[in-house]
Amino acid sequence: MSNFLGEDGGTLFDYSYQLCCVFPLRAEEIPSDVLRQRELKWLEMLKSWDKWMAKKHKKVKERCQKGIPPSLRGRAWLYLTGGKAKKEQNRSKFEELKNHPGDPKWLDVIERDLHRQFPFHEMFASKGGLGQQDLLDVLKAYTVYRSEEGYCQAQAPIAALLLMHMPAEDAFWTLVQICEKYIPGYYSTGLEAIQLDGEILFSMLRRVSPVAHRHLKKQNVEPVLYMTEWFMCAFCRTLPWASVLRVWDMFLCEGVKILFKVGLVLLKYSLGTQEKLKGCHGLYETMELLRSINPQYTHEAFLVHEVRLQSVLSYSYSPNLLTFWILNPFLDCGSHSLSGVSDNGAKDLRKRHREGAPNSAASLEGVSRRSPLQVPSKDARC
């Protein structure tokens, strides 16, 4: 309990708020000896990956929350998503897809988007350079691989981020896994999945931050207006770079529930008090506030702390108080839990939203589609 209390003995809410003030705005600097120890631990895990996934996945999750060492991040992401297994099961497939002429309709759109992806990064700064060519190959290959789905512009920053950490073939199979296993339906025509998840996020916000929920509802700010880019780009166009990498370490380990948790943290701390809402008199002012979130709330140390805190806390709302209480891991968290995610729960939440059920999404219980810690079966094929 003492780990979650401030030095003055304040409440958990007080302590979380104080963190905004004490975290410096620069990226965390990890001592070289600590970083080296983490690298050795990750190297040991990667050598016996199947064993760790089968018997010690809780430890894998803890190490992802602490941050994957930069030197091993690309390899770890490939393993976490199951991209390595998918690649081995489909040898030479990427070369075949890359050499396919592709659909001119999609190629034209992709080529126009290449220069927009991290234009100040050395990989993508040169028109027609190796970085842009790899990005074109990966995105074109996906449109051939999933011709019924084609290309969505939000896939470009996802692919670009992956290419910063791994070769093109690895980036392609990791992208496939993200699209199919982590956020399925996000890039499909009609974007039904993202709209449903927006409604689920908004329903959760009612418990996490009633003030923010009431404000957004009063101003008729639809969830798709502020969360579409957050979720479809997995926050890679929203957060500072150091925070993006830490969020992705957790996202690729734990699944889409991390996107929900990050979204709730940003909404809660941006709109969660009457003081913060003084200048928000309409939709325009609210959207401006969410487009320029206070850097204190997006700093990696604060953000990761808040996301991890949600794994051991539950929120209960009464008319006058937002009460936090620590959960015994052996207790049934019920509908208030922000952890304990299951696949069937996600389907149930979406079904209820389609049917207009009044209590469609009270929690994160069941938000993730499929545990990303599961490696695809050996029989999986394209």
Side-chain angles (χ1 to χ4, degrees), residues 224-253:
V224 292
L225 294 178
Y226 54 83
M227 59 76 65
T228 300
E229 184 177 79
W230 289 359
F231 278 44
M232 291 184 74
C233 298
F235 290 98
C236 72
R237 294 177 59 136
T238 305
L239 301 174
W241 189 245
S243 301
V244 169
L245 298 179
R246 293 292 300 279
V247 166
W248 272 53
D249 288 347
M250 296 185 291
F251 166 55
L252 296 182
C253 176

Side-chain angles (χ1 to χ4, degrees), residues 30 33-43 63 66-69 72 246:
I30 303 173
D33 57 329
V34 174
L35 185 59
R36 181 57 180 160
Q37 289 177 1
R38 291 184 181 178
E39 287 175 336
L40 293 173
K41 290 177 180 178
W42 270 95
L43 285 170
R63 290 179 178 174
K66 289 181 180 179
I68 301 171
L72 297 170
R246 293 292 300 279

Side-chain angles (χ1 to χ4, degrees), residues 289-338:
L289 188 58
L290 292 177
R291 288 192 190 102
S292 54
I293 296 172
N294 190 319
Q296 291 177 320
Y297 307 141
T298 59
H299 183 268
E300 59 171 316
F302 174 78
L303 192 58
V304 171
H305 172 271
E306 285 295 304
V307 169
R308 294 182 69 180
L309 192 63
Q310 289 182 20
S311 297
V312 294
L313 293 178
S314 179
Y315 300 85
S316 176
Y317 176 65
S318 63
N320 301 312
L321 181 66
L322 183 64
T323 306
F324 294 79
W325 76 107
I326 293 191
L327 294 174
N328 184 313
F330 298 103
L331 293 178
D332 178 10
C333 303
S335 63
H336 299 290
S337 173
L338 283 169

Side-chain angles (χ1 to χ4, degrees), residues 110-117 124 132 135-136 139:
I110 291 171
E111 288 173 350
R112 288 200 306 254
D113 282 346
L114 294 178
H115 73 282
R116 301 187 180 111
Q117 313 311 319
F124 307 107
Q132 288 196 11
L135 183 57
L136 173 62
L139 294 174

Side-chain angles (χ1 to χ4, degrees), residues 175-241:
L175 175 66
V176 167
Q177 291 297 95
I178 290 173
C179 294
E180 294 184 354
K181 304 301 181 184
Y182 288 76
I183 46 178
Y186 272 26
Y187 307 121
S188 301
T189 304
L191 304 178
E192 180 191 20
I194 196 73
Q195 293 182 56
L196 286 170
D197 281 1
E199 294 300 322
I200 292 171
L201 177 72
F202 187 61
S203 296
M204 294 175 192
L205 184 63
R206 183 176 183 180
R207 290 179 177 271
V208 174
S209 180
V211 173
H213 182 273
R214 282 197 300 270
H215 175 78
L216 292 171
K217 186 174 183 179
K218 179 181 178 181
Q219 303 301 334
N220 294 314
V221 183
E222 295 294 329
V224 292
L225 294 178
Y226 54 83
M227 59 76 65
T228 300
E229 184 177 79
W230 289 359
F231 278 44
M232 291 184 74
C233 298
F235 290 98
C236 72
R237 294 177 59 136
T238 305
L239 301 174
W241 189 245

Side-chain angles (χ1 to χ4, degrees), residues 254-265:
E254 300 179 52
V256 76
K257 69 176 181 180
I258 294 298
L259 303 186
F260 281 87
K261 290 184 177 186
V262 173
L264 291 170
V265 169

